[in-house]
Amino acid sequence: MEWLTHHLSLILFFVLAASLFCGFPVAFVLGGIGIMFGGLGILLGVFEPIQFFNLLPRIWGSAASNPILVAVPMFIFMGTMLERSGVANDLLHCLQVLLRRVPGGLAMSVTLMGTIMAATTGIVGASVVMLTMIALPSMLERGYNKELAVGTIASAGTLGILIPPSIMLVIMGDLLSVSVGALFAAAVIPGLILAFLYLLYIGGISFLQPHKAPPLPDAVGPKTSAEFWRLIGKSFFPPVFLITLVLGSIFGGWATPTEAAGVGSLGALLLAWFNGTLDRRALRDVIERTGLTNAMVFFIVFGATLFSFVFRSLGGDDLIVELLATMGITTGWEVLSFMLILTFVLGFFFDWIEITLIVLPVFAPVLHGVDFGPHIGEGGPILFMTWFVIMMSVNLQTSFLTPPFGFTLFYMKGTVPPSINMGHIYRGIVPFVVLQLIGLLLILAFPQIALWLPRTVGFLK
Amino acid sequence: MDGLLTASNAINRMLERVAMTVGWLFLVITAVIVFDVLSRKFGFQLPGMGSTRLQELEWQLHTALFSFWLGVGYVKNSHVRIDILVANLSPRRQAWTEMAGCLLFALPYCLLAIYISLDFTWISWVDNEGSPSANGLPWRWIPKSFITLGLIMLLVGVVSVMMRIIVFLYGPERLRKPSSFAAFEITD
């Protein structure tokens, strides 16, 4: 009995992990399991019924009266609008035309598109489905090597969780009390390094084995230079300008992420209007998709709030610290490796929303005690948190891509034509997983890759 | 059985209509944010609409947006599920799993949350709670009641799904396809 009471929070964690696989919506499972263990705690005398009344103040504080999180729906709205209005499609087409003489140009344009349009919803599954639908057909039509095509698309689709504006960084920043601006700034250089590694690989393989990446025929694209500049002016500059404006106003300290996202949403509406695609039907469609995605994210916040607060009330915080100590995980590097491996495994099954909202609150107390001293430089715990979040992001990206489970691959399988099988997807993704690991190791070894920009623009001391 | 399915369809349509109507607030929030940014930039202010109020308005509108979409999110099956282990079960088993999930997780959660939330909103109403900031918005019970209403709509959505499952499991063959939902959806 004593043992049961002491370990109740741990049992809760494992029962939750198992129950999530029953296929019922995650948010309900989180809430339902939370109630069951709260009830069990009442029976064992370690939980008071009155404590359940903390639920609403907590939801109110974490989800509702939280100005930072208003950035989440606004970025989703902006990304969905850019996609629905055809701006994203035009940008991809424009990049394809621009790169048509470069070896692997078609694939490179997908990577660049993923880098520029990282905002597009920020939900990995949705990004990958969208990119597959707009980019894969033209690659297959040109006779691209199937492995190269799917590998490029899957990797570009996961860039969105790292490259700002990223709604994952907004939520992680909020949970770990790090400024969202600092995280956005910290993610820029790692994101560009990854994109650069992808481009290098695509360029290299296309140069060495040209049959794998046939170029577009010369007939495609503008005939005159006037036509060329019109294409650039219409398809390339507007979205690039919009994203630059949004990020620039955050990094320049002129706007909070929420304000930048709101202005970005207006910008996306204006672009759609210039494009002639802004009508009632398009608006309804964007509102519906944004509303559903946003409710999905915030409903998990609801469920996770109940779960993590019952977990904590049952003594979970202390138990986790104690447990890690008995496993011999105490130093900074040990805690960090443990967290990265744990989230890597979880990333096979869960999107970042569940991982962030379930795992981070559970392990946050351990993280707060970590000291990396000279490796990351002077600046206190906030510096570690910033670096940690960026590594988590790259780690999750890698996990989402890693066969046989990486869940991006399953989304992809659901969208590709039947001529592409799981084998193509697995083989195609392996080189990109290797590139991801190189990126992760670089950031581990040289924390300044992540920390230099936020320091320079003044988000971190 | 036909009646049950008709009722469930009607509920779903109603949830959808409310959510879509509230959804236009995305445009309102965008306008409020842009207005706030511009008015601060140019040092211009509408009487009674200072920056504090506008910023509170932003998150209060957002509270309406996520709350009123919870229920429709469930009946439209857009809440995330981890279904890789159960994806290959037969539609009947899927339906049973969904029913078990509703009874074990969704119903207790909705009922408890609604009960607590009513209390939460009620206290705010009785206290005539306003913003803690002197020039903030009054009437905190309004955004708080959004959450209560949203949770009630969620409960209604759960009941609607349970009605469909009953039709699916026990109804006549011809209602099988129209009542199928999410994991046990029959498409062909």
Side-chain angles (χ1 to χ4, degrees), chain A residues 171-173 175-176 312 339 343 354-365 367 388-389 392:
Chain A
I171 291 185
M172 280 201 180
L175 280 173
L176 295 173
R312 206 156 291 159
M339 288 302 293
T343 48
E354 303 94 294
I355 296 181
T356 309
L357 287 165
I358 302 170
V359 175
L360 280 189
V362 167
F363 286 95
L367 294 173
F388 172 74
V389 166
M392 279 280 279

Side-chain angles (χ1 to χ4, degrees), chain A residues 19-26 28-29 31-33 35-36 52-53 55-57 59-60 63-67 69-70 73-74 77 258-259 262-263 265-266 269 280 283-284 287-288 290-292 294-296 298-300 302-303 306 349-350 354, chain B residues 20 23-24 26-27 29-30 33-34 36-37 40 55 58-59 62-63 65-67 69-70 72-74 76 78-86 97-98 101-102 104-106 108-110 112-113 115-117 119-120 140 143-144 147 151 154 158:
Chain A
S19 310
L20 285 175
F21 286 97
C22 73
F24 201 62
V26 168
F28 278 133
V29 178
I33 297 275
I35 292 179
M36 281 178 208
F52 276 130
F53 281 80
L55 176 60
L56 256 288
I59 289 178
W60 177 254
S65 65
N66 187 339
L69 291 187
V70 181
M74 294 331 279
F77 185 86
T258 305
E259 288 164 354
V263 175
S265 293
L266 179 69
L269 283 164
R280 213 188 142 79
L283 260 180
R284 281 183 64 93
I287 287 175
E288 176 170 359
T290 310
L292 289 175
N294 187 49
M296 182 260 274
F298 280 87
F299 191 28
I300 297 188
F302 273 49
L306 178 59
F349 310 102
F350 304 97
E354 303 94 294
Chain B
M20 267 321 281
W24 292 96
F26 278 119
L27 299 183
I29 300 190
T30 307
I33 293 177
V34 172
D36 176 38
V37 171
R40 255 184 307 144
Q55 283 173 15
E58 286 161 21
W59 61 253
H62 177 230
T63 304
L65 272 169
F66 66 72
S67 301
W69 280 81
L70 293 176
V72 80
Y74 184 44
K76 282 193 165 247
S78 70
H79 290 304
V80 250
R81 302 162 179 268
I82 315 298
D83 52 7
I84 54 166
L85 292 189
V86 292
T97 318
E98 193 76 13
C102 284
L104 272 174
F105 303 130
Y109 181 77
C110 288
L112 183 74
Y115 177 69
I116 298 169
S117 161
D119 185 69
F120 186 63
R140 273 289 150 93
K144 288 187 172 176
I147 298 183
L151 287 168
L154 181 63
V158 172

